[in-house]
Amino acid sequence: KSSIMSVAAPPAASTAKSSASRDTQRIYSIAELAREFAVTARTIRFYEDEGLIKPRRQGTQRLYSVGDRARLGWILRGKRLGFTLAEIKELLDLYHVDRTGLQQMRELLRRSRLHIEELERRRADLDAQIGEFKDVEAQVSAELVRRGADPASD
């Protein structure tokens, strides 16, 4: 898979072809992924319940592929960026619609721009609020000084 939201980091250039093919066949346990990504097994099972990752099963054991590992990395990155699980799922699923990844990249770009606009609006609101509090602070400090009280004491 060669997709912005689903591919694992490419193997190092010096990696032998045979080991590269073995890497794509690598299977991970839930404990390995939990340890690697510093999340709980419960978190990974939750993402599975939400349909974001689909490990194979061997009895009761979950077997995670390289693709599952990459998807988990993108899920966690998407969450850190503020995407909802629904948005993350839609972005990841776009790869199955268009294997070139172009549709997925366009949608990721569109949604990223929307998130940037929202964050910039919130930053402007916070800056305005901070300014108002600084005005209140200055006025109250000045009034305390006028009344002979030290504004620095509690």
Side-chain angles (χ1 to χ4, degrees), residues 4-144:
I4 292 292
M5 292 293 289
S6 65
V7 76
S14 63
T15 304
K17 191 172 192 159
S18 62
S19 68
S21 65
R22 274 197 310 265
D23 287 346
T24 62
Q25 300 302 312
R26 180 137 179 346
I27 299 298
Y28 300 86
S29 71
I30 196 167
E32 286 175 304
L33 291 181
R35 195 168 35 256
E36 178 180 349
F37 289 101
V39 296
T40 63
R42 183 177 181 195
T43 296
I44 296 171
R45 286 191 300 272
F46 173 76
Y47 294 143
E48 182 184 345
D49 291 343
E50 294 295 310
L52 292 164
I53 49 178
K54 298 172 179 87
R56 287 183 310 152
R57 298 274 187 156
Q58 193 170 56
T60 60
Q61 187 178 16
R62 291 168 167 85
L63 305 173
Y64 296 89
S65 68
V66 170
D68 293 323
R69 178 184 168 273
R71 282 178 73 97
L72 178 59
W74 279 105
I75 292 163
L76 296 171
R77 183 174 188 200
K79 288 300 293 173
R80 279 193 311 274
L81 289 171
F83 287 106
T84 66
L85 287 181
E87 286 177 309
I88 293 166
K89 184 174 185 341
E90 289 171 15
L91 288 166
L92 289 171
D93 289 349
L94 279 175
Y95 184 73
H96 298 294
V97 174
D98 171 19
R99 292 286 187 172
T100 67
L102 293 176
Q103 191 175 352
Q104 186 185 48
M105 286 188 277
R106 283 186 186 109
E107 185 61 16
L108 177 58
L109 181 61
R110 185 185 75 77
R111 290 178 190 226
S112 293
R113 287 175 174 159
L114 290 173
H115 279 265
I116 290 167
E117 288 172 12
E118 175 60 24
L119 288 169
E120 287 175 342
R121 270 193 301 276
R122 288 178 17 203
R123 180 173 50 195
D125 289 345
L126 286 171
D127 287 343
Q129 198 172 12
I130 289 168
E132 288 182 42
F133 272 114
K134 285 184 177 183
D135 288 345
V136 168
E137 176 187 34
Q139 291 170 5
V140 171
S141 290
E143 182 61 20
L144 285 169

